Amino acid sequence: MDKQDECLSTFIKGVMLMVDFTAPQEVVDAISSIERFIEQEIEPLKKKYHYWLENERNFYDENGLYAKEIQEAMREVRMRSAKAGFYNMFGPPELGGMGDVFGPVAIAFIYEALMKKYGLDPLVMEIFPGGLFTGGLTPVLLGLHPEVKEEILPGVASGETLLCFGLSEPDAGSDVWNIKTTAVKDGDYWVINGTKQWISYAPYAQYAMIFAVTDPELVKQRKGGITCFLVPFDGKTCVTTSVIPILGHLGGRIGIISLENARVHEKYIIGDLHQGFGKALHGVDLGRIVMAATCIGVAQWALNKAIDYANERKTFGVTIGNHQAIQMMLADCAIEIYAARNMLLHCAWKMENQEKIPVKEISMVKAYSTEMAQRVIDRCMQIHGGMGLTNELKLEKAWRWARSQRVPDGTTEIQKRTIARRLLGGDRNF
Ligand SMILES: Cc1cc2nc3c(=O)[nH]c(=O)nc-3n(C[C@H](O)[C@H](O)[C@H](O)COP(=O)(O)OP(=O)(O)OC[C@H]3O[C@@H](n4cnc5c(N)ncnc54)[C@H](O)[C@@H]3O)c2cc1C
């Protein structure tokens, strides 16, 4: 092969790599192993905890917390998943995870495949840490002091210890610079006071990653001044005061954290002092990829139900799939899922193959996939008529879940703000 042929061959290989949308073999194998794990390890748990899993009145206790049986079932899934090697498969290798093998592309394929097959099964969803960047071997923990790593990583990796990510507050959601929680230095310790709101897993976690103002002057100049601390829930100075049920649920997993003179040693700072938004937010992109892949998988799960129903249900002497109005809805669902799926894969590919983080593309994927999921599930409910509104098919639960995804990890409007700012700043290619 002469030099010119070699160049051409490299170019063709590059192009082929860019347009190859097949899942890598290790990902296909991982999906099969996880499905086997679900069959062998989770299905028996589902039978054991059927009473609590099947009815929302049993799923939550009178305070809106998961019933203790549900908490136990979830814990068992996490521990079994960790033992089987799944719980930490997307974590950074420096912490003992396998994120170097299973990066964003693998995340996209694996989450999509599982959600498509199992929908929003609460036990299947515990196989991986919630949110990925907020729990388990999250990249945020790369910023821990070595002694603290030694103290908490074994529990986190085994699925026993849960973490939560405490950034938002009553007066600071999109506008994170507006947080009011403060940390004041006292010798080798920091004393933290404030309230965190909407925090996923707060009612169940043992530690919270708490963002607090450590230098108000730097905050005013938007140059830093916010630090991330690992704070244990000690039942006195750092407590979850309540669960926030949303969208008609009888309970939930988001809560309010109250910090009253919580004292933590300076070694519990995550990342650098005053620069909490730097290292501590590292990994937020993965969370958005997970959210998008979950939305795409759940949308396919719903569409499959709608297709089956359209082929069975008869009105006016024919199956409803014969009515053009139903056909249009099915087609619109497929178009949107296909678009979201290809966007996600391309963005995940960019994350793995480009040096620069594809910031606006990640925002596009998060915004589009979450909005798409709600539109798709809504149509699928409509195709089911009255049945779609019952909780028997779990479509309405999926609709409520999809509705909630448009807010956390940056609302749709904030994602669009990011995209527009990048475009206006000269980042025009995608
Ligand atoms: C289910 C769920 C889980 C969550 N989990 C966590 C968690 O684990 N940890 C955590 O820290 N937080 C968490 N949050 C909080 C979440 O990140 C915030 O709710 C979100 O950032 C929006 O903030 P907000 O609710 O204060 O709304 P606001 O910021 O007050 O926004 C109100 C409205 O104004 C719009 N808006 C605001 N600013 C702009 C702008 N500049 N341009 C255009 N529109 C704008 C918003 O899009 C929204 O429509 C969670 C929230 C939910 C619902």
Side-chain angles (χ1 to χ4, degrees), residues 127-143:
I127 294 175
F128 303 118
L132 218 55
F133 78 98
T134 57
L137 291 181
T138 153
V140 180
L141 300 182
L142 287 168

Side-chain angles (χ1 to χ4, degrees), residues 203-273:
Y204 312 103
Q206 285 74 43
Y207 291 90
M209 298 172 242
I210 295 289
F211 290 79
V213 175
T214 42
D215 186 332
E217 270 316 303
L218 281 179
V219 172
K220 257 191 220 156
Q221 299 164 33
R222 299 285 193 267
K223 285 191 176 155
I226 290 174
T227 305
C228 181
F229 297 87
L230 186 73
V231 186
F233 284 101
D234 62 2
K236 281 182 254 148
T237 63
C238 175
V239 286
T240 296
T241 50
S242 55
V243 179
I244 312 175
I246 53 171
L247 292 156
H249 286 291
L250 299 176
R253 73 174 193 197
I254 55 180
I256 299 178
I257 302 175
S258 165
L259 297 131
E260 275 186 43
N261 295 322
R263 276 172 75 82
V264 288
H265 192 273
E266 61 189 0
K267 70 182 177 189
Y268 286 87
I269 288 177
I270 304 179
D272 300 323
L273 181 65

Side-chain angles (χ1 to χ4, degrees), residues 291-292 295-296 340 344 364-374:
M291 197 184 272
C295 284
I296 293 162
L344 170 64
M364 289 183 197
V365 165
K366 197 275 176 182
Y368 186 74
S369 304
T370 49
E371 299 273 338
M372 172 284 296
Q374 207 200 342

Side-chain angles (χ1 to χ4, degrees), residues 90-91 102-104 107-108 111 125 128-135 137-140 165 200 253 280-296 344 347-348 351 357 361-363 365-367 369-370 401 405-410 415:
F90 305 123
F102 297 104
I107 291 175
Y111 270 82
M125 292 186 86
F128 303 118
L132 218 55
F133 78 98
T134 57
L137 291 181
T138 153
V140 180
F165 190 82
S200 303
R253 73 174 193 197
L281 282 180
H282 181 61
V284 71
D285 299 332
L286 279 191
R288 290 177 180 160
I289 293 298
V290 168
M291 197 184 272
T294 307
C295 284
I296 293 162
L344 170 64
C347 176
M351 287 167 84
I357 297 175
E361 287 84 344
I362 292 170
S363 285
V365 165
K366 197 275 176 182
S369 304
T370 49
W401 171 85
Q405 300 305 292
R406 292 164 51 193
V407 173
D409 281 6
Q415 304 300 341

